[in-house]
Amino acid sequence: RSIQIHKKTVASAAAGQRAAVNISGVGIDDTSRGDVLTQKGYFCSTECINAVVRVLPSSPMPLEHRQRLHLHVGAAEAVVRISLLREAQISPGKSAFVQLLPERPLTVALNDRFILRTYSPLHTIAGGEVILSRSDPARGRNEKEALDDFLKNISNASSVPERLTLLVDSKKTIMIDEAARLLELTEQEIKNCAAELAQLKKIYITGTGGALLVSGAYLKRICGDLYTALAEFHKRNPESICMEYEKIARQTFDAVLGILRANTQFKYVDNRIRLNDFAFASDSGFMNRAAWAADAITKAGYSMLTLDEVAAASNLERAKVNEIIAYLRENGEIVIVGGKYILPKTLLDSLSQKLLPIRSDITLSAVREITGCSRKYLIPLLEYMDGVGITRRVGDKRILLKKV
């Protein structure tokens, strides 16, 4: 509610001034030495601090990996373990990037200076500066060496765009609010900076409400891996137009795929993907059989044929029929309803259009009147439309969801 310096009320207090702060709803017993008063959400407590440490030239001993020490930062004092990233020890007079692992949560700020003292007896042997206030402990040699390189680069970075690029590259993906906390900027500052970097394709912005930042370097590598995987898939499966998303799930994820849609190397068909310049391998016999199947499916209309019925009528092996059906589906000519029925895509679109006048009052009898099909086909068709988000069931009726 107010700030005082030497019993005089002031509008603000600066570092180095002794101040009294009147805070409503907080008692003396609720605070302790080292607590930080801050804007809500600006800082978070941490149990892993990335820092640079310099051992005093006068220190009688080096700093050892996993050594237990006393950390003094701001007004706080805590016991920490020090994790060295490249060497087993830091000799007197030498510096290194490290991780400090407090035994209790602490709140520290970017560029906070600190001192380290031996656990017992108490001797000051080193000092340092916070590079990033929050992190995950690095595991294994490769991860530690990568973190060491990152800390070296970001500590030398001279601008916010450079620091943000390095941070996103190191994390591969990061939420905007987390980037703001780590770099101690507002979310709006991060958004503005990310927008500039997105123009240069150093960062991509995706996720709900544009809340996720994706590394441009990471995405470039993913694109290369994806291109290689698709080229190999097309080589092994010349009769298939697209590769199922599920088969590349280990190489990418939905947010990255959303960005990849802007890449003209790839073509997206429903929930499948292929190279844009891939030419479907087929002969005239296959295309004739596919045309026959499409015609038979169209003639059946809403009284939909099953896969078995198409196979029986064509006198073809089931494997050949599956290839034809896969081709028609991937080409956007049909949809599979209820796992076994085949419906022309044009009839599905036509039905959606015809439902517009009754979009909030769709009954079973109304759809039967439009389609002329029996309950045998009507129930799986309506359930399919619910499943793909065209309609939604509300009691005994349905409402139209998609704009058509």
Side-chain angles (χ1 to χ4, degrees):
R1 294 186 298 184
S2 64
I3 304 172
Q4 290 187 346
I5 298 176
H6 300 303
K7 298 183 179 180
K8 291 183 179 181
T9 301
V10 296
S12 62
Q17 292 179 315
R18 182 176 180 177
V21 183
N22 188 347
I23 308 171
S24 61
V26 180
I28 293 177
D29 294 338
D30 298 323
T31 62
S32 60
R33 178 175 177 174
D35 284 353
V36 175
L37 178 63
T38 178
Q39 177 183 330
K40 185 177 180 180
Y42 192 78
F43 285 120
C44 288
S45 59
T46 180
E47 295 181 76
C48 182
I49 303 166
N50 290 333
V52 60
V53 165
R54 181 174 184 271
V55 179
L56 294 174
S58 59
S59 173
M61 65 190 76
L63 270 181
E64 304 283 346
H65 179 60
R66 300 294 299 174
Q67 186 174 343
R68 205 164 182 232
L69 300 161
H70 285 277
L71 168 70
H72 297 265
V73 56
E77 178 183 351
V79 176
V80 300
R81 294 276 184 182
I82 186 168
S83 176
L84 307 186
L85 300 178
R86 286 195 184 268
E87 307 296 337
Q89 63 180 28
I90 308 174
S91 302
K94 300 294 184 180
S95 300
F97 294 103
V98 304
Q99 288 191 306
L100 300 175
L101 309 173
E103 294 184 358
R104 66 175 178 85
L106 286 178
T107 299
V108 298
L110 187 68
N111 301 324
D112 268 357
R113 300 202 177 253
F114 58 83
I115 63 172
L116 294 171
R117 307 182 80 187
T118 53
Y119 184 73
S120 181
L122 288 172
H123 291 298
T124 300
I125 60 169
E129 184 176 347
V130 174
I131 305 298
L132 282 182
S133 60
R134 297 175 64 219
S135 182
D136 295 319
R139 310 290 186 189
R141 180 177 177 180
N142 291 340
E143 194 172 323
K144 288 182 176 181
E145 289 182 353
L147 176 60
D148 186 75
D149 292 337
F150 163 68
L151 293 177
K152 180 180 179 181
N153 291 332
I154 201 167
S155 64
N156 291 328
S158 58
S159 67
V160 171
E162 188 178 359
R163 290 174 63 82
L164 181 58
T165 301
L166 288 167
L167 177 63
V168 178
D169 283 347
S170 73
K171 299 285 187 179
K172 298 184 177 65
T173 64
I174 188 171
M175 301 301 291
I176 281 179
D177 59 349
E178 176 67 6
R181 280 192 290 270
L182 289 175
L183 297 182
E184 295 181 18
L185 298 168
T186 66
E187 290 187 29
Q188 190 57 54
E189 287 173 322
I190 293 293
K191 289 178 181 179
N192 293 342
C193 184
E196 294 177 8
L197 293 170
Q199 298 270 340
L200 303 173
K201 296 186 178 181
K202 292 184 177 181
I203 285 177
Y204 290 83
I205 305 169
T206 186
T208 304
L212 181 68
L213 304 180
V214 181
S215 162
Y218 172 62
L219 187 59
K220 184 177 180 180
R221 194 185 80 215
I222 288 291
C223 279
D225 292 344
L226 179 58
Y227 189 93
T228 300
L230 286 172
E232 182 62 26
F233 173 81
H234 290 325
K235 182 178 179 181
R236 294 195 313 268
N237 305 278
E239 75 289 348
S240 296
I241 295 180
C242 296
M243 182 179 184
E244 297 286 343
Y245 276 168
E246 288 76 7
K247 294 183 180 180
I248 57 169
R250 293 183 182 179
Q251 300 175 30
T252 186
F253 54 92
D254 287 344
V256 172
L257 282 176
I259 297 171
L260 289 178
R261 286 183 182 275
N263 191 317
T264 56
Q265 289 180 308
F266 310 119
K267 176 73 174 179
Y268 298 84
V269 181
D270 296 329
N271 65 334
R272 296 171 301 281
I273 184 173
R274 65 174 172 86
L275 294 180
N276 196 40
D277 59 357
F278 171 69
F280 176 67
S282 62
D283 53 35
S284 59
F286 177 89
M287 297 306 294
N288 289 337
R289 291 189 292 272
W292 172 87
D295 184 60
I297 292 166
T298 300
K299 287 179 179 177
Y302 292 108
S303 298
M304 300 172 284
L305 296 177
T306 64
L307 296 172
D308 289 336
E309 288 170 339
V310 173
S314 65
N315 292 320
L316 294 173
E317 296 177 4
R318 182 59 182 266
K320 294 292 185 182
V321 173
N322 288 344
E323 289 179 6
I324 291 170
I325 297 302
Y327 167 76
L328 294 175
R329 181 171 176 241
E330 291 171 355
N331 213 34
E333 296 183 45
I334 62 169
V335 296
I336 305 299
V337 174
K340 65 176 182 178
Y341 295 112
I342 311 167
L343 179 69
K345 181 66 164 51
T346 53
L347 285 187
L348 181 65
D349 295 338
S350 174
L351 178 57
S352 299
Q353 289 282 354
K354 292 176 181 178
L355 291 175
L356 276 174
I358 55 170
R359 63 180 310 141
S360 300
D361 189 27
I362 301 171
T363 62
L364 198 65
S365 59
V367 180
R368 183 188 294 117
E369 185 176 340
I370 293 172
T371 61
C373 66
S374 68
R375 187 182 181 89
K376 171 184 175 181
Y377 304 107
L378 197 58
I379 296 300
L381 174 57
L382 290 174
E383 289 177 348
Y384 171 83
M385 294 175 72
D386 292 340
V388 297
I390 297 174
T391 56
R392 184 176 70 206
R393 185 171 181 175
V394 181
D396 294 332
K397 299 181 179 181
R398 285 174 167 81
I399 60 175
L400 193 64
L401 297 179
K402 282 190 174 181
K403 294 181 179 180
V404 292

